[in-house]
Each structure stands twice: as structure tokens, then as C-alpha cells.
Amino acid sequence: MTTTGEEDTAARGGPLWWSRRRSAAFDWTLGFVSAVECAVEGVPFAQDAGIPAAVGVVFGALAGSVLVVRRKWPIAVVLVAIAITPAQMGFLMGIVGLYTLAASELPRRIIGSLAGMQLLGTLIVTFVQVRQSMNRGSLTLGDWFVPFAAITTSLGLTAPPLLLGMYVGARRRLMESLRERADSLERELQLLAERAEERAEWARGEERTRIAREMHDVVAHRVSLMVVHAAALQAVARKDPEKAVRNAVLVGDMGRQALTELREMLGVLRSDGAGVRAASVRSVTVAPAVVEEGEGPCLEELEELVGQSAAAGMVVELSVEGEVRAYAPEVEQTAYRVVQEALTNVHKHAAGAKTRVRLAHRVAEIAMQVENGAPPEVGSASSAGLPSGGNGLVGMRERVLALGGVFVSGPTDAGGFRVSAVIPAS
């Protein structure tokens, strides 16, 4: 695992301005070496200046020890190196100080100015030293050697540390930029993971809602008819035994059909549980409450559905308009469920009311309407004791809207209730 910039910064802990302890130890070592070098070079300087040698050694040691603060004040180190250049001391401090200056975040004009000053100082000092050596007879080369030696020495002591420092500084800035980018990417990935988890949770909620709606559609209608038939059976058990037997047979048939549909749905959930969960995550960007794929009720079974309600004592009429044709499975399932839930609501809330079911096949859509009149007697709606969960209309609306349709429901002026839906054919 890579270390990000924040973790790397937190892991550092050096004394004072040093980021690491080894950096502090390295600078103190350089400062000690520089102090020793300048102290040794302070002896000939004291002889040339006519001062005690101890003074030259102390001066050189103090000047050389400035290299310790090169990371904190690189400009001061370079200025001290330039100042003691005429004394022919501080070569290590000049090289290391210029390198540190070039690798720092200081403006280029400051780095260039100080590097030019150090180059000029080294050039002048070298020129004077070589000229003095030739005058003393130590060197017997021609006059061309004096400027050549001065230029070569000054460039050799200035250009390499300057270029190396600029390269290291650029590389360090590049690494910091990459580290910051990695931190940013890590935060973005974390945010994306959180959003993915939220979307997955939302998809799971949608899947639970869809399953609950399917359970309601499959079971509620059958059970409602069973309760109606059971109430009728109780009413006619003694007066009309033959009718009671027919009602008992219908109750048994309804119960078996409800159990069959419930068993099929539970079987799908058990066998494809993982697939359903994966599909729920993949369907995050798809419209919610999409009807499940697979076999289900179709419009051809609508007449049987109306017949079951009629057998339960409802006065219901079915009318079909337009040319009958096949639709997509989800369209036919939604149309069937809307009519089924509307009839269930009539059983619950308007028992005995006359009901009309209309189905219209149009060019680009299919329309359905279930309208019932007012119940014949007040209180008859609850004669069978059917509970209401209040989710039927919500489920119908979700189904229709998920397919891009229009759903309208509400009471009529005659005291009844109307449910209307229009679903695009494709």
C-alpha cells in the first residue's frame, strides 16, 4: 500500500525545522565538516591578514557552522559563503548552500541573482590568486591561463550544484504534485464508494418495495375473494346448502390459486436471490419500480378475473374496445394488476355496488377504467370485515408511472369511485 501525503506528513517528526531526524543529523554533520574546513583554512587567512591564528580559527569555525541552517535560511548560507570567498575558505559551504538554494521554493530571480554573485566572487578570487601565483613564479604558463583558470574554476564550483539543485527541486515538486493528486484520487474513490453504497441501499429498498407490492397484488385479491365467499357461505349455510357447497368450492379454489402464486414467487426469490440483489444494484440508473421480468398475468386472463368477482356476488360488466392485440409482458401485467387491484378495492369498500370494467386498445396505448357506483347500503362495505392497508392505489400508480403512463383515481359525482390508467403500448 502506498503512503499518501497526509500520512507521510504525519509520520514525520524531527527537531526544530527538520522534517526528519536523519535530516537534522545530516545537516549537523555537514555543519561540523564545514566548520572544521573553515577553521583549517582560517590559519593561512590569519597569517595573510596579520591577526592571531586563534582568531582566524574561531572565525572560520563560526562561519563554517552556518551550514547547519541551510534548510531554514539558504539565502543566509549563500551570502556568508560569498562573504568569506575572498578569505579563500568555505568551499564546501558554497557548494552545498548553492545546491540547497537552487532546490528550494524561492523565486528564480533570487536564485539566479545569488548564483551570479557567487560565480562572480569565485571568478574574481580565482583570477587574483592565479595572477599572484604567476607573479611569484609558482606558475610559468602564459597569460591566457589566468582567465581560463578563473572561468573554469568559477563555473566548476557554481554550475554543477546549481543545476543539480534545480533538478532535485523540480523532481521534489513533481513528487509532491503526484502525492497530492493521489490524495485527491483517494478521497474521490472514497466518496464514490460511499455513493455506491448509498445507491445500493436505495436499490435494495426499491427491490423490497417491489416485492412487497407483488405480494400484495398476488395475495390481496385472492384472499379478499375468499373472505367474501366465506361471509356468503356463513350467511347461506343453513338456508341454501347447495349454494353453500358452491361457495365452499370457490373458497378452496381461491385458496389453492393464492398458494400456487405465492409458492411460485417465493421459489423465484429463493433460487434467484443473489441475482435479484445483483440486478437491484445494476438497476440503480433505471427507472424505479420496474415490473419484474418473467411469466405473469396477461390480458387474456382478464375475463377470468372479472368472472371470479362476479362469482363472489359482484355485479360487474366487462367491455373491450378496439382491436385486441398482444403487448409487451410488462404492459399486460401492469394493466392486469390495475384492474385486479381496483376490483379488490370494490370488494373491500363498496360491496354490492355495480361495477364496470372498460378496456380500450388504441393505436399507441392501452387504456383501462374500473368504475363502481355507490354501495347499496351504508355499512355494507365492511360486511365481510376486509381490512385495508392503503397501499393498493400507491402500488397501481407506481406501476403505471414506471412505464411512462398516466394514472388517475378518485370519487365520482354519483358517490362511487373511478380508477383510470393509460399505458403506452411500447
Side-chain angles (χ1 to χ4, degrees):
M1 178 180 293
T2 58
T3 303
T4 61
E6 297 177 357
E7 294 174 350
D8 184 64
T9 302
R12 300 176 180 179
L16 298 177
W17 57 82
W18 285 281
S19 59
R20 296 183 180 89
R21 295 184 181 276
R22 63 181 182 182
S23 300
F26 182 72
D27 286 353
W28 278 100
T29 301
L30 285 178
F32 175 77
V33 174
S34 177
V36 171
E37 176 203 0
C38 292
V40 173
E41 294 171 344
V43 175
F45 166 71
Q47 295 176 354
D48 295 340
I51 58 177
V55 176
V57 171
V58 173
F59 172 75
L62 293 176
S65 61
V66 177
L67 190 59
V68 175
V69 299
R70 68 184 186 94
R71 298 178 191 267
K72 184 68 173 178
W73 297 292
I75 296 179
V77 174
V78 174
L79 289 176
V80 171
I82 295 173
I84 63 177
T85 298
Q88 301 181 23
M89 63 175 62
F91 294 102
L92 177 62
M93 184 170 60
I95 295 174
V96 176
L98 186 59
Y99 162 80
T100 306
L101 179 69
S104 65
E105 302 292 336
L106 293 172
R108 294 298 181 186
R109 62 178 182 274
I110 296 179
I111 297 176
S113 300
L114 293 176
M117 293 173 60
Q118 185 165 338
L119 174 67
L120 183 61
T122 306
L123 179 67
I124 295 174
V125 171
T126 306
F127 185 89
V128 172
Q129 288 179 349
V130 175
R131 172 64 67 181
Q132 291 177 351
S133 298
M134 293 186 67
N135 292 335
R136 288 194 302 266
S138 301
L139 297 174
T140 58
L141 299 175
D143 294 338
W144 62 270
F145 182 74
V146 177
F148 173 78
I151 295 174
T152 303
T153 304
S154 59
L155 288 177
L157 294 177
T158 305
L162 178 65
L163 296 178
L164 181 61
M166 294 177 64
Y167 167 76
V168 172
R171 184 175 180 274
R172 181 186 302 146
R173 287 187 290 272
L174 176 61
M175 295 300 296
E176 291 177 355
S177 175
L178 293 177
R179 188 178 293 110
E180 292 177 358
R181 185 176 301 179
D183 293 338
S184 176
L185 289 176
E186 184 177 359
R187 288 191 294 268
E188 291 180 3
L189 289 176
Q190 184 177 1
L191 181 60
L192 289 175
E194 293 176 356
R195 290 180 178 177
E197 181 62 26
E198 292 176 358
R199 290 195 296 267
E201 183 62 29
W202 175 83
R204 287 191 289 268
E206 289 294 324
E207 188 67 13
R208 288 192 295 267
T209 302
R210 184 189 68 81
I211 294 174
R213 183 173 58 250
E214 286 303 312
M215 297 289 290
H216 176 272
D217 292 341
V218 169
V219 178
H221 180 73
R222 303 290 185 190
V223 174
S224 298
L225 293 179
M226 291 171 60
V227 173
V228 172
H229 283 295
L233 177 61
Q234 183 180 5
V236 303
R238 296 181 179 179
K239 298 179 182 180
D240 191 349
E242 294 183 359
K243 187 175 181 180
V245 171
R246 290 196 300 269
N247 286 339
V249 172
L250 288 175
V251 170
D253 292 339
M254 293 295 176
R256 281 188 291 272
Q257 292 176 6
L259 287 176
T260 300
E261 293 182 0
L262 183 60
R263 187 179 297 111
E264 291 176 354
M265 177 171 292
L266 294 178
V268 171
L269 293 177
R270 289 193 185 100
S271 61
D272 297 337
V276 169
R277 288 191 295 270
S280 66
V281 176
R282 290 194 300 269
S283 63
V284 169
T285 58
V286 184
V290 177
V291 179
E292 76 286 355
E293 297 181 359
E295 297 183 359
C298 59
L299 292 178
E300 294 180 355
E301 304 174 14
L302 197 59
E303 186 174 353
E304 179 183 356
L305 176 67
V306 174
Q308 293 173 355
S309 294
M314 179 186 294
V315 181
V316 57
E317 176 187 352
L318 172 64
S319 63
V320 181
E321 303 173 2
E323 182 182 355
V324 179
R325 64 183 188 274
Y327 299 91
E330 59 269 18
V331 174
E332 295 204 9
Q333 292 176 31
T334 300
Y336 181 93
R337 295 301 189 192
V338 169
V339 176
Q340 181 187 54
E341 181 59 31
L343 292 177
T344 302
N345 288 339
V346 175
H347 284 293
K348 291 180 179 180
H349 308 292
K354 185 177 181 179
T355 306
R356 185 179 182 185
V357 179
R358 299 177 58 189
L359 186 66
H361 299 273
R362 299 172 183 171
V363 177
E365 60 189 14
I366 179 173
M368 65 226 63
Q369 184 181 87
V370 179
E371 181 178 354
N372 63 272
E377 297 180 2
V378 179
S380 62
S382 59
S383 60
L386 293 173
S388 176
N391 298 317
L393 293 177
V394 176
M396 285 190 285
R397 180 182 298 275
E398 289 178 352
R399 284 181 175 274
V400 174
L401 295 181
L403 296 178
V406 179
F407 179 85
V408 179
S409 63
T412 62
D413 296 336
F417 199 84
R418 181 187 299 117
V419 173
S420 302
V422 179
I423 305 174
S426 59

